[in-house]
Amino acid sequence: MTKEVRSIADYSFKVVWRDKSDEVREEALEMWNESGLLSRGEAVDRLEQMAVAVYYGQKLIGISTIYKSYITQLKSHAYVFRCMILPAFRAPGLDTQLIVKTRDFL
């Protein structure tokens, strides 16, 4: 079985922080369900934390989430970053692009 080779050019990114339409929310819930990484409750909780979405064609295949948290050791607030890309769609450098695009948004 040959794995399909994809390049960064095959993907598109969309800032969804302020544009969390019902469609994007449903796509995210479906993606998290497909991945099996989060329970439905955990996925629903993360909907408000979505920052940048990654698409392969019309399919949502990755997302970054951010939230503000108080760090006791620093005595300051900082943003906590998480990202997830469906395994079947991972490509070299895709995670780095997601990190950079999220940082640029912030």
Side-chain angles (χ1 to χ4, degrees):
M1 184 163 132
T2 307
K3 184 177 178 181
E4 182 179 346
V5 178
R6 298 183 177 102
S7 74
I8 294 296
D10 296 331
Y11 298 90
S12 61
F13 298 84
K14 179 182 177 186
V15 174
V16 294
W17 182 255
R18 289 187 175 85
D19 178 28
K20 296 181 181 90
S21 66
D22 290 341
E23 181 181 351
V24 170
R25 290 172 183 270
E26 286 304 315
E27 290 172 338
L29 290 172
E30 183 180 316
M31 181 196 63
W32 279 318
N33 183 55
E34 182 180 334
S35 74
L37 295 174
L38 299 175
S39 70
R40 172 96 176 156
E42 290 170 320
V44 168
D45 290 344
R46 289 203 188 168
L47 290 174
E48 291 306 315
Q49 301 171 0
M50 295 187 304
V52 178
V54 183
Y55 288 89
Y56 182 76
Q58 299 298 314
K59 181 176 175 60
L60 177 67
I61 57 90
I63 197 90
S64 67
T65 60
I66 54 175
Y67 66 95
K68 196 173 181 179
S69 180
Y70 185 76
I71 310 298
T72 305
Q73 296 88 340
L74 299 176
K75 297 179 182 167
S76 182
H77 286 89
Y79 281 99
V80 177
F81 167 86
R82 292 181 289 224
C83 72
M84 195 277 293
I85 299 168
L86 291 174
F89 294 91
R90 292 179 183 161
L94 183 58
D95 56 345
T96 303
Q97 287 294 312
L98 183 54
I99 291 166
V100 169
K101 291 188 184 303
T102 304
R103 181 210 59 202
D104 290 351
F105 159 71
L106 288 173

